[in-house]
Amino acid sequence: MESLGVVGAVLGCSAGFAVCGLLFAAYKLGLLYQLFHKTETKSPRHGGESVAEVLRAHGVKYVFTLVGGHISPILVACEKVGIRIVDTRHEATAVFAADAVARLSGSVGVAAVTAGPGLTNTVTAVKNAQMAESPLLLIGGAAGTLLQGRGALQDIDQMSLFKPLCKFCASIRTVREIVPTVRKALAIAQSGTPGPVFIEFPIDTLYPYHLVSKEFALKNPPKGLIGKIVSWYLNNHLMNLFAGAWEIRDVSPLPVDIPQATDNQVQRCIELVSQAKKPVILLGSQATLPPTPADYIRKALEDLGIPCFLGGMSRGMLGKDSPIHIRQNRRDALKEADLVLLAGTVCDFRLSYGRVLSRRSKIIAVNRDKAQLLKNSDMFWKPTVAVQGDAGSFLVRLSKGLKGHRCPEEWPQSLKAGDVTKENANRAKADEKTEHNLNPLKVLHCVDKLMAEDSIIVADGGDFVGSAAYIMRPRGPLRWLDPGAFGTLGVGGGFALGAKLCRPESEVWIVYGDGSLGYSVAEFDTFTRHKTPVIAVVGNDACWSQISREQVPILGSNVACGLAFTDYHIVADGYGGKGYLIRREDEDRLSSIIQQAQKETRDGKATLLNVLIGKTNFREGSISV
């Protein structure tokens, strides 16, 4: 009897496992879901409409793309609900444009590209967005759900490519997943440290049932039991793909989680700042992120009266001529400072990994990302207070806590005096004659003098753009766009496109090196087609000069650094824009040519100033060895 009990228990367990296995199989095959949710086989709707509904509910105004059949339903549906589709000449440009929209609008930028090479072409731009902390949604097409890994057209393992680059990656498996997945992705892109997210859409999740069903139909199904099993499996997969697809779902935005400093941390920092005699603030791009408006941050900085060095997207935060904005001699200022506030600034190569910070200084570091907050703190520097939180709102709270207290005025005045001395010397260099062509410093000073007060500057290049960073003055917050820590070339066309769409009333200037121009000059076609007139000024010295400056003296060769004085102005003409060639003999007319280009742009034509420049000793090379 006892053995019978054991047998019964074993059989009972086996039956239980069998039932569990069957239930799990039924769940995986969607059979349980289909019991309670209908598949509307007559509906003409498609998955692209679900994507469009969510994007519209989140306030998305633009989707940047290079068209492909995998993603056509998304583009068509977005256009129907009033989202503007902006097609570019390269997928990387589409992502760069979405990145610029994210930075300038405070929302998520969106790019949609086709499967395979369409997606691989975006990898550099997505990595740039990750390192620049830009909230961005990349939508990618993909082979059908049953064809992935079977050699379908443009079918690769896309998820493996983007998981290291994105905060969140998802592959849609049924139409009903579209709405909740897109909502989740958009929230994650903006939460914590913002960054890119990726969703791939297999082609059969985007097209209507009646078209997809034709692809599932077997022309010559196997006979017998195997044939019946295969036919049943395909039909069930199809029904599950569309089960519950058009049920009403919430498309509104999910809450966004933004880390904040604690009250105790803010109070500790208030005490440190109040005791400082020579404080300095280093403001990074992260300080410009939502939710705190840039104008609030600007007022907080002005109330504190602490001298500020501005980097990345924070350039222009204090306007053109603020008495507390210090542009020169940063290394010397940091040696003297008794307190340094790193507000979204990272101790990476830009701060010599923290080695420029004095061991005698109190250091307050504020950053949303813990890894960036403490980067290299185990080697070259150590924070007095490390705050994992939003830098912009921290500055506002710090200012309120220090109401009535200001930095001793003689400190920013002494730093400003150093600024004036250095900048007068730089202006003198602008008046020197170069051996050939125009002095690039004179060109940049002239552009800076003539550009409109509402101008947005896009930086895309090496040597010429490095000089521009010292000379050109953004007139206000969120009026400077550069790639960020990744140092990516080729951002110019996309950044300018996104900027002009966000701020159509503003002059948008692209400062190009002649090397970087090659990446996106074709986007002059995009500027023409989409009526987004921008102005590009190209420092054309027929060389990759930033590399050549050190390669030649160190290694004795200019190999691969030489270019040609190419007629880029004619290329712009060919794409429907207006090009100008500016040579040394045009020096006396430089201002009038720039003003003519500005007029052409106001009249709706993208313009390109191809400026032939010579060599100066203004800047040292930037290769780290």
Side-chain angles (χ1 to χ4, degrees):
M1 292 295 292
E2 191 173 317
S3 60
L4 289 175
V6 172
V7 171
V10 170
L11 291 175
C13 287
S14 299
F17 281 126
V19 170
C20 289
L22 289 171
L23 287 173
F24 180 75
Y27 168 76
K28 293 296 288 183
L29 291 168
L31 296 173
L32 297 179
Y33 188 87
Q34 292 176 60
L35 288 175
F36 304 100
H37 301 273
K38 183 181 178 183
T39 300
E40 299 179 36
T41 60
K42 302 297 183 183
S43 174
R45 296 190 62 185
H46 57 79
E49 295 173 1
S50 298
V51 178
E53 287 175 8
V54 180
L55 296 183
R56 178 175 62 176
H58 285 69
V60 172
K61 295 181 179 179
Y62 311 103
V63 171
F64 299 94
T65 191
L66 199 158
V67 71
H70 287 89
I71 57 167
S72 289
I74 295 175
L75 306 181
V76 171
C78 285
E79 183 186 43
K80 285 183 178 179
V81 300
I83 297 172
R84 184 170 173 181
I85 302 299
V86 184
D87 59 307
T88 64
R89 300 305 301 267
H90 196 285
E91 289 90 352
T93 297
V95 176
F96 287 135
D99 185 338
V101 167
R103 299 187 195 195
L104 295 179
S105 70
S107 59
V108 180
V110 180
V113 300
T114 198
L119 275 162
T120 57
N121 277 346
T122 71
V123 168
T124 296
V126 172
K127 182 63 182 180
N128 193 81
Q130 180 197 45
M131 293 188 67
E133 300 173 349
S134 294
L136 185 146
L137 169 61
L138 176 65
I139 292 171
T145 51
L146 288 180
L147 295 178
Q148 291 182 356
R150 297 178 180 273
L153 175 67
Q154 299 179 332
D155 178 33
I156 58 171
D157 182 2
Q158 298 170 163
M159 300 298 284
S160 293
L161 278 176
F162 288 96
K163 281 180 180 177
L165 308 179
C166 296
K167 297 179 67 181
F168 172 78
C169 291
S171 180
I172 300 297
R173 311 317 294 173
T174 62
V175 179
R176 61 182 175 270
E177 296 174 21
I178 292 175
V179 169
T181 304
V182 177
R183 289 178 76 211
K184 180 179 179 181
L186 290 167
I188 290 174
Q190 300 171 85
S191 293
T193 305
V197 293
F198 169 60
I199 307 175
E200 73 166 12
F201 290 83
I203 194 168
D204 49 359
T205 65
L206 290 177
Y207 280 83
Y209 179 93
H210 71 277
L211 289 179
V212 176
S213 63
K214 291 178 182 177
E215 297 299 316
F216 276 76
L218 290 173
K219 294 180 181 178
N220 298 300
K223 294 181 179 179
L225 180 60
I226 296 298
K228 290 180 179 179
I229 292 173
V230 169
S231 296
W232 175 87
Y233 178 80
L234 291 175
N235 182 67
N236 177 72
H237 185 86
L238 174 65
M239 298 300 283
N240 184 52
L241 197 63
F242 285 89
W246 316 124
E247 294 173 4
I248 296 174
R249 289 180 172 83
D250 186 3
V251 296
S252 63
L254 293 167
V256 173
D257 177 34
I258 298 173
Q260 298 289 350
T262 66
D263 290 340
N264 287 340
Q265 287 174 325
V266 174
Q267 184 56 42
R268 171 69 174 134
C269 295
I270 288 171
E271 293 168 5
L272 289 172
V273 174
S274 67
Q275 296 164 10
K277 302 300 181 186
K278 293 183 176 182
V280 167
I281 295 176
L282 271 57
L283 205 67
S285 296
Q286 201 183 91
T288 66
L289 292 172
T292 308
D295 289 340
Y296 288 18
I297 299 170
R298 177 176 179 170
K299 185 178 186 308
L301 294 172
E302 290 172 344
D303 289 345
L304 289 168
I306 298 173
C308 298
F309 290 90
L310 309 179
M313 284 290 295
S314 75
R315 292 176 187 269
M317 179 65 75
L318 293 167
K320 185 180 177 183
D321 296 307
S322 170
I324 62 170
H325 177 200
I326 313 301
R327 292 162 55 89
Q328 311 289 342
N329 306 313
R330 185 178 69 178
R331 185 180 291 268
D332 293 336
L334 291 174
K335 285 181 181 178
E336 285 192 65
D338 58 4
L339 181 139
V340 178
L341 171 52
L342 304 174
T345 297
V346 181
C347 287
D348 55 16
F349 70 94
R350 292 167 291 186
L351 283 181
S352 191
Y353 311 99
R355 286 177 291 192
V356 296
L357 300 175
S358 171
R359 294 282 183 180
R360 298 185 302 274
S361 301
K362 298 284 194 301
I363 300 173
I364 300 170
V366 188
N367 200 292
R368 294 193 189 189
D369 187 298
K370 186 175 181 180
Q372 299 290 77
L373 174 68
L374 301 174
K375 189 173 286 292
N376 296 309
S377 63
D378 56 337
M379 295 180 65
F380 301 119
W381 69 288
K382 188 174 181 62
T384 309
V385 180
V387 178
Q388 187 178 355
D390 176 56
S393 56
F394 172 85
L395 288 169
V396 172
R397 292 167 66 188
L398 184 69
S399 176
K400 287 180 179 177
L402 286 162
K403 192 170 185 179
H405 172 85
R406 281 182 66 83
C407 171
E409 290 191 5
E410 58 271 16
W411 170 235
Q413 287 173 356
S414 68
L415 295 180
K416 200 69 176 178
D419 253 22
V420 172
T421 301
K422 187 77 171 280
E423 290 183 3
N424 285 340
N426 290 342
R427 287 186 181 277
K429 290 180 182 178
D431 293 328
E432 296 173 0
K433 286 286 185 183
T434 50
E435 185 177 354
H436 303 288
N437 302 316
L438 284 168
N439 184 323
L441 309 182
K442 181 169 186 174
V443 174
L444 291 167
H445 276 295
C446 189
V447 170
D448 182 62
K449 179 181 177 181
L450 294 174
M451 70 181 186
E453 286 300 304
D454 65 352
S455 292
I456 297 172
I457 304 166
V458 174
D460 185 11
D463 201 68
F464 187 61
V465 171
S467 298
Y470 284 93
I471 293 169
M472 299 182 74
R473 299 171 183 261
R475 286 13 180 191
L478 301 178
R479 296 195 176 277
W480 173 277
L481 290 168
D482 64 28
F486 202 30
T488 310
L489 293 182
V491 302
F495 276 12
L497 177 63
K500 191 63 179 178
L501 288 168
C502 285
R503 310 270 178 83
E505 74 289 346
S506 296
E507 271 187 9
V508 175
W509 287 83
I510 316 174
V511 183
Y512 274 123
D514 56 331
S516 62
L517 173 67
Y519 288 88
S520 65
V521 68
E523 302 306 337
F524 268 79
D525 172 70
T526 306
F527 301 145
T528 299
R529 289 184 296 106
H530 287 282
K531 297 179 173 56
T532 49
V534 304
I535 310 175
V537 55
V538 184
N540 186 353
D541 61 359
C543 186
W544 294 93
S545 291
Q546 192 175 63
I547 309 304
S548 180
R549 279 181 187 278
E550 289 195 352
Q551 181 174 305
V552 172
I554 293 174
L555 301 173
S557 172
N558 199 48
V559 62
C561 294
L563 295 170
F565 287 105
T566 301
D567 290 335
Y568 299 114
H569 54 291
I570 296 177
V571 177
D573 287 339
Y575 279 124
K578 175 63 178 175
Y580 296 86
L581 175 63
I582 304 177
R583 301 155 296 184
R584 171 168 278 180
E585 52 264 42
D586 302 310
E587 185 170 4
D588 292 340
R589 301 190 302 117
L590 180 60
S591 293
S592 62
I593 295 173
I594 292 172
Q595 290 169 328
Q596 178 60 33
Q598 290 173 300
K599 182 180 182 301
E600 289 277 2
T601 304
R602 289 193 296 273
D603 291 340
K605 191 162 266 193
T607 59
L608 185 150
L609 303 170
N610 184 16
V611 188
L612 306 188
I613 60 172
K615 309 291 184 183
T616 71
N617 294 317
F618 178 59
R619 300 182 65 248
E620 297 177 356
S622 64
I623 302 173
S624 297
V625 294

